[in-house]
Each structure stands twice: as C-alpha cells, then as structure tokens.
Amino acid sequence: MQTPKIKFDHVTKVFETRSQTIVAVKDYSMEIQAGEFISILGPSGCGKSTLIRMLDGIIDTTEGDIFIDGVKVNLGGKKKMPPEVLRKMGFIFQQPNMLPWYTVRENVALPLRVFGLKGKEWEDRVDELMKMVGLEEYANARPSEISGGMLQRAGVIRAMVHDPEILLMDEPFGALDELTREQMNMELLDIWQKTNKTIIFITHNIEEAVLLSSRVYVMGTNPGHLVETVTLDLPRPRELSMITQSKFIEYRQKLESYIGEIDLSKIK
Ligand SMILES: Nc1ncnc2c1ncn2[C@@H]1O[C@H](COP(=O)(O)OP(=O)(O)OP(=O)(O)O)[C@@H](O)[C@H]1O
Ligand SMILES: [Mg+2]
C-alpha cells in the first residue's frame, strides 16, 4: 500500500491552563494521499487549528503520532522539525499577515529567505506566481495599497513560493466578501489542478467544503473529535454552477445533518 502523504494516528491534544484542562482534540485519525484535496469542517473550538498547528510542528501532540511521508513529525517538544520536512509545507492563514513595510513582492518572496533558497530560478518563480494571480503590476506596492482579495491571493502564492508539496489552509477566505470568496475558491481549484499539491482546507462553510474537496472530515466539539468522514463523488473540474445540482445538495444536506447534531449537543 502507498505511504500516505499525511497520517494522524489516534492523536489527542490536551491543553493544561492554570484554571482548567481542555481536551482540544481527542483520538483523531486520518490518512491523506499525495495530491488529494480534503476539507476539515466543524464549529468554532472543535480543534481544527490545533490539528494544523500539530502538523506544522508548532505544538506537540499529547498522545498519538503524526507522519508526513511516513516520517514521524511529533518529536516530543524537544527537537525541532527538520527543515527538509518543514519545507514540504506552505501555510495560508485566515488573515494575510503581510509585513507592512515590505512590498507585495518582498512579502511573497519571504519563504525563500526563511529556507535560504537563492538564485534566478527562485526569483523567476516569484514573478511567475505573481503573474498567475494577476499581481504583477502590484509587485512594488505596499500591502496597505491593495485590496483584500489581492492580499489573500498574495497570501496563497507566498505559501507556494518555496514549492511545498502540502498546502495547509486555515479558513483562508473567511474574511472576504461572498463574491471574492467564490472567485478565490475557483482560483484555488485551478492552482491545485495545475500543481497537484496535497491540500488540507479548514472551513466553517459547508458549501465551500463540498465544492472544493474530495473528502470532508466533520468534527464536533467538547472534546474536539472526528464525527464522520464523507467522500464526495462529484466530477472534476468543479464549477460554481454545480451547487444547484441534486447530488451537490444531497451532500450539503448530509453534512448539515452532522453539523446540526453537533449544535444540538452543544445546547444540552
Ligand atoms: N494554546 C492553547 N492553550 C489553551 N487552550 C487552547 C490553546 N489553543 C487552543 N486551545 C483550546 O482548544 C480548543 C480548540 O481550539 P482551536 O483553535 O483548535 O479550534 P478551532 O476549531 O480552530 O476554532 P475556530 O473555528 O474558532 O478557529 C478550544 O477550546 C481552545 O480554547
Ligand atoms: Mg481555528
């Protein structure tokens, strides 16, 4: 059997604060193959960001293991993740987090400095990506001078500039208006189809999860846990017009029913 690109094996994360013990994630397992686009869907506080932060090595697991290409990446909090493993990942945040005193291009190129990637090949890559998302004319602008959609595009290509194999996206388009968000979703699908990256996409939005992914991991709260895994048998390339088709609506309703159950249990 093929080694999964990413594997969570019975992962639990407990936060001990001065006043309480929070089980942020309980016994979470998932396997993602190279080139898959999967979503993690769930209400606020169910541990979605915690999963990403454990995968990225920012925080350690309490129990269970996480593997990237078969290599264990939870290292007991003492060792740092090796740079060659870290380089496999690009992170796209909810807010663009641009450095205001850098130009748009300098912001996009930042990971090259972090990973010590120098030379014409890499510089050309920055320009190509800027062009791909229509930002080439704004290369020398400051982040404060471009629109929210443009900032988010810059955030997407910044995560890709060091050519990572995995994109980790934590509610990347949540702050955008509906129209720009839809446009960004379609652009993301296009980028994914062209580059064959493995994508983990975190969202609150059911429609977005169905439109983008091949599989949705639905999570619940108290403690954060996996409720259900739903495989989406919808053709690709995906089109926005698909959201009115009966199969799409069926999936949406199925996911709504899981999220609904979660909300009920929260009220009790
Ligand atoms: N560093 C921390 N210390 C203590 N508790 C934490 C810490 N980080 C997260 N938590 C708690 O863990 C739980 C899960 O948080 P997490 O940020 O992973 O949720 P989320 O699903 O990403 O939520 P949202 O959709 O609002 O972003 C929450 O109860 C949160 O308060
Ligand atoms: Mg979060």
Side-chain angles (χ1 to χ4, degrees), residues 44-45 47-50 94 170-171 202 204:
S44 185
K48 303 182 296 296
S49 296
T50 302
Q94 190 159 5
D170 196 351
E171 310 212 32
I202 289 183
H204 280 104

Side-chain angles (χ1 to χ4, degrees), residues 126-182:
V126 176
D127 294 327
E128 263 169 46
L129 287 168
M130 296 278 292
K131 213 169 161 184
M132 185 174 83
V133 297
L135 282 176
E136 72 268 41
E137 281 173 29
Y138 299 91
N140 295 317
R142 304 281 155 186
S144 60
E145 294 163 347
I146 63 175
S147 74
M150 287 178 189
L151 276 176
Q152 215 57 32
R153 280 191 193 94
V156 171
I157 59 170
R158 179 183 52 191
M160 295 173 63
V161 85
H162 55 294
D163 201 18
E165 296 160 25
I166 301 165
L167 288 180
L168 306 174
M169 311 184 71
D170 196 351
E171 310 212 32
F173 310 136
L176 301 175
D177 62 88
E178 187 76 9
L179 219 71
T180 316
R181 184 182 183 136
E182 281 175 358

